[in-house]
Amino acid sequence: MREVDLIIIGAGPAGMSAAGRAAECGLSVVILDEQPVAGGQIYRDVDRASALRGDILGKDFTEGQKLTQRLDHKNITHLKGAVVWQIEDGPRVSYTHAGQGGTVCAKRLLLATGALERPMPIPGWTLPGVMTAGAAQILLKQSGIACKGAVLVGSGPLLYLIGSQMVRAGVPPLALVETQTRHDFIGSLRHLGGALRGWRYLLKGAAMLWHLRRARVPRYVAASSLAIEGKEAAQAVAFTSKGKSRRIACETVLLHHGVVPNTQTARSIDIPHQWDEEQACFVPQCDEWGRTPKTDVFIAGDGAGIGGAKAAALAGEIAALDIACDLGQLTSADRDAAARPLRARLINERAARPFIDSAYPPYAAALAPQDATIVCRCEEVTAGDIRRMAGLGCTGPNQTKAFGRAGMGPCQGRYCGLTVTRLLADANGVSPDETGHYRIRPPIKPVTLGEIAAMTPQETKADSK
Amino acid sequence: MKPASSFRELTPAPESALADVRFGTRAVRLPLGENLAAALLLAGIMPFRLTPVSGAPRGPFCMMGACFDCLVEIDGVTRQACMLTVTEDMAIDMPAAGKGDGDA
């Protein structure tokens, strides 16, 4: 079995920059990443896509190449297409790579598993043709595929970004249907100070909106009563805006109302999480270096709380410095000196976040969906089912599994966990923290018996201690 | 005949780089090495599967390996289409109610 100083899970901005810094400090690093190429979701396939369609995707995207270049270091082994399915004490990580199981051990483990789209359960969201806005971005970045006849629905700057990229690609969206209200905007002004420090983000947002307006993409705000209509596939988006009922016929619906930390890996090793009211999601417990209560495990990037790609890259470097110090490659004075400028930049990167979070809150009706709406996509469990379970005495998400299979399908609660917690918390009149989240158990990704059987022989767990 | 697709390729793949693939009873030609879910979408394939619970049609939702809605069956193994690349002679079946193990 291979043994290294540091294992990093995820080759997005946090994972790539952490690997780069750790390698420069003299640590041996293995990066395990599910994707066939480095970049994560935000910089998906950046090396290839920049050359082919950098003009459509923009400079914020092509800049990701600076991070992929850092992986070219003799101390870094990047296992592309490696699917992690189990983490044990050690830390010891089991994965599948090229159809074969493998195991790697390290002195430290960094989880850089990024974010997921916040689940947006509205009527019709399971129909073919409905995707996340992030999915549309991935199609564009990785495959050069644009969605035709698409309506963008939800809230947040990502909708403006994908909308303006679609305009540049020559396939503009049919409409932009936004759920945030004027009231949200006025409320967000209390964070204007921070927003002005993060002025670059505001300027970019304004430029993208201007671009959409100039392309004559119709924009509806304060939309409510959202529903996607269709039988075999999405055919239209229906909603109410400014007191008027509207219906837009379309082929594709792209949903987005923010992203949330992908906590699946951290939860599988019992890292404690707490509810973050500002971002309406669970975040793992870690210190200013990203160190969790399991002291040999660190978390960096959006997986530790949403901050965006640039903040993630800085957090990755900061975690790498502390890990290098742990392993005797840096003195604590050198670590602190190297971290100081990074922290200053991190504060700036995060400055606009409270403004963005309150100006573009999640769509309220998707946080507490109507009874008939499916919340667990895999097992087709509705919000009404969850409320009925609460009425029968169900207090936590784990019990919903026994009551009615919620969270037991192949996605293992990734796209229903937050909704189920929220529904139970509301129904039982307790906090999300008290309600808790699904217990996540390995395998955290599917693995076949054949892949396990093909694993190279290794010592037993007892021997390796 | 190629079915209508809701997706458009910005730069079409050259003919030489296409692989012959079977999806259910249909023969389709997909760009070799391309992400399988993306290639099937472009070829107008929809749905990818029917749910084991109600038989409802589903297709790709997240494109990043998290939602498991793009599941397809390859050589009897249920797999995420968005996590695979197109290879020559790929034989794909559609997971459906009462057929195969949708729980993966």
Side-chain angles (χ1 to χ4, degrees):
Chain A
M1 182 174 34
R2 192 203 293 257
E3 289 200 47
V4 292
D5 292 323
L6 172 64
I7 300 169
I8 298 174
I9 301 180
M16 292 190 288
S17 68
R21 179 63 78 130
E24 286 158 20
C25 291
L27 303 185
S28 56
V29 182
V30 163
I31 304 192
L32 301 168
D33 186 61
E34 285 184 330
Q35 293 300 328
V37 285
Q41 305 309 334
I42 190 85
Y43 299 129
R44 181 90 162 223
D45 213 352
V46 63
D47 292 329
R48 204 167 58 104
S50 294
L52 291 172
R53 41 193 166 266
D55 51 336
I56 290 171
L57 296 164
K59 192 167 155 282
D60 278 339
F61 175 74
T62 56
E63 267 197 352
Q65 289 183 100
K66 287 183 191 157
L67 289 172
T68 56
Q69 281 158 11
R70 294 190 72 175
L71 297 184
D72 187 19
H73 191 289
K74 64 176 177 27
N75 291 356
I76 299 176
T77 307
H78 176 195
L79 284 186
K80 299 164 184 169
V83 179
V84 170
W85 42 267
Q86 178 169 263
I87 301 169
E88 295 161 282
D89 285 343
R92 172 161 139 162
V93 178
S94 299
Y95 59 91
T96 302
H97 184 241
Q100 190 172 341
T103 301
V104 57
C105 244
K107 299 188 179 92
R108 295 291 179 275
L109 170 65
L110 174 71
L111 307 178
T113 54
L116 286 175
E117 293 264 356
R118 179 191 298 282
M120 195 166 166
I122 60 174
W125 77 308
T126 54
L127 286 167
V130 182
M131 296 192 300
T132 65
Q137 273 236 298
I138 288 166
L139 284 172
L140 195 58
K141 290 170 186 171
Q142 165 199 274
S143 308
I145 291 175
C147 310
K148 289 190 297 190
V151 177
L152 304 175
V153 178
S155 78
L158 181 69
L159 290 177
Y160 303 155
L161 175 63
I162 178 75
S164 80
Q165 287 172 340
M166 288 166 84
V167 169
R168 278 200 291 272
V171 193
L174 295 181
L176 185 58
V177 179
E178 295 182 79
T179 57
Q180 81 281 352
T181 63
R182 206 177 153 69
H183 179 78
D184 295 326
F185 180 74
I186 292 167
S188 71
L189 292 178
R190 69 180 189 279
H191 300 296
L192 198 62
L196 293 177
R197 267 191 297 144
W199 59 273
R200 279 190 186 84
Y201 285 100
L202 298 194
L203 213 61
K204 278 177 191 165
M208 291 186 292
L209 261 178
W210 170 242
H211 190 209
L212 287 165
R213 184 167 304 165
R214 214 178 40 192
R216 300 182 192 283
V217 175
R219 184 175 172 223
Y220 304 90
V221 293
S224 60
S225 307
L226 284 171
I228 300 155
E229 298 174 358
K231 205 164 158 30
E232 293 301 307
Q235 290 174 322
V237 179
F239 59 97
T240 305
S241 172
K242 292 185 177 162
K244 260 178 124 168
S245 290
R246 295 183 183 273
R247 185 176 181 281
I248 304 173
C250 59
E251 294 173 60
T252 306
V253 181
L254 302 175
L255 299 177
H256 172 79
H257 66 155
V259 294
V260 294
N262 182 356
T263 59
Q264 212 77 358
T265 316
R267 284 194 183 277
S268 78
I269 48 172
D270 295 324
I271 304 286
H273 287 66
Q274 64 249 325
W275 184 257
D276 180 323
E277 194 55 47
E278 294 277 294
Q279 299 197 330
C281 60
F282 283 107
V283 291
Q285 195 181 319
C286 36
D287 70 11
E288 55 171 356
W289 301 97
R291 190 191 298 265
T292 71
K294 269 190 193 270
T295 54
D296 50 8
V297 180
F298 289 67
I299 306 179
D302 275 357
I306 302 307
K310 290 194 169 150
L314 292 165
E317 298 233 15
I318 291 169
L321 289 170
D322 199 33
I323 292 165
C325 178
D326 260 7
L327 302 183
Q329 298 288 328
L330 280 181
T331 65
S332 52
D334 287 344
R335 173 199 64 183
D336 294 348
R340 209 166 295 128
L342 299 172
R343 287 196 198 286
R345 283 166 60 197
L346 193 55
I347 288 168
N348 270 331
E349 280 303 322
R350 287 177 176 158
R353 188 51 55 178
F355 173 79
I356 295 170
D357 289 341
S358 55
Y360 298 102
Y363 175 48
L367 298 181
Q370 48 186 262
D371 278 351
T373 304
I374 286 176
V375 296
C376 167
R377 298 172 62 93
C378 299
E379 296 293 330
E380 298 177 75
V381 181
T382 66
D385 292 334
I386 302 293
R387 291 191 179 102
R388 272 189 293 281
M389 292 174 198
L392 292 169
C394 180
T395 56
N398 288 313
Q399 272 180 303
T400 65
K401 297 180 181 178
F403 275 73
R405 290 197 57 83
M408 288 184 77
C411 101
Q412 296 173 291
R414 285 172 173 87
Y415 277 98
C416 66
L418 280 175
T419 317
V420 168
T421 292
R422 190 71 174 242
L423 286 169
L424 289 176
D426 288 352
N428 293 323
V430 297
S431 68
D433 272 325
E434 214 174 317
T435 304
H437 190 268
Y438 291 128
R439 176 172 293 279
I440 304 303
R441 292 192 178 86
I444 52 177
K445 277 287 172 95
V447 53
T448 66
L449 285 173
E451 286 159 356
I452 293 177
M455 284 173 85
T456 45
Q458 54 178 260
E459 66 273 58
T460 64
K461 198 172 178 182
D463 294 340
S464 70
K465 286 279 157 92
Chain B
M1 192 189 76
K2 195 174 167 175
S5 168
S6 304
F7 299 86
R8 200 173 98 189
E9 204 173 12
L10 300 179
T11 39
E15 189 65 19
S16 59
L18 295 176
D20 286 308
V21 169
R22 176 181 67 76
F23 184 91
T25 54
R26 282 154 74 173
V28 279
R29 305 198 75 205
L30 306 179
L32 204 57
E34 179 56 85
N35 179 286
L36 178 63
L40 290 173
L41 286 175
L42 194 64
I45 300 280
M46 192 65 99
F48 279 40
R49 69 180 182 115
L50 304 177
T51 60
V53 179
S54 74
R58 291 285 173 86
F61 178 70
C62 79
M63 285 300 294
M64 54 180 274
C67 77
F68 290 73
D69 256 323
C70 66
L71 292 176
V72 292
E73 208 175 288
I74 295 172
D75 295 330
V77 183
T78 309
R79 306 193 55 184
Q80 295 170 282
C82 76
M83 301 298 288
L84 297 172
T85 49
V86 176
T87 55
E88 197 66 64
D89 296 323
M90 232 175 184
I92 308 164
D93 286 298
M94 192 168 86
K99 182 177 156 289
D101 184 2
D103 266 354

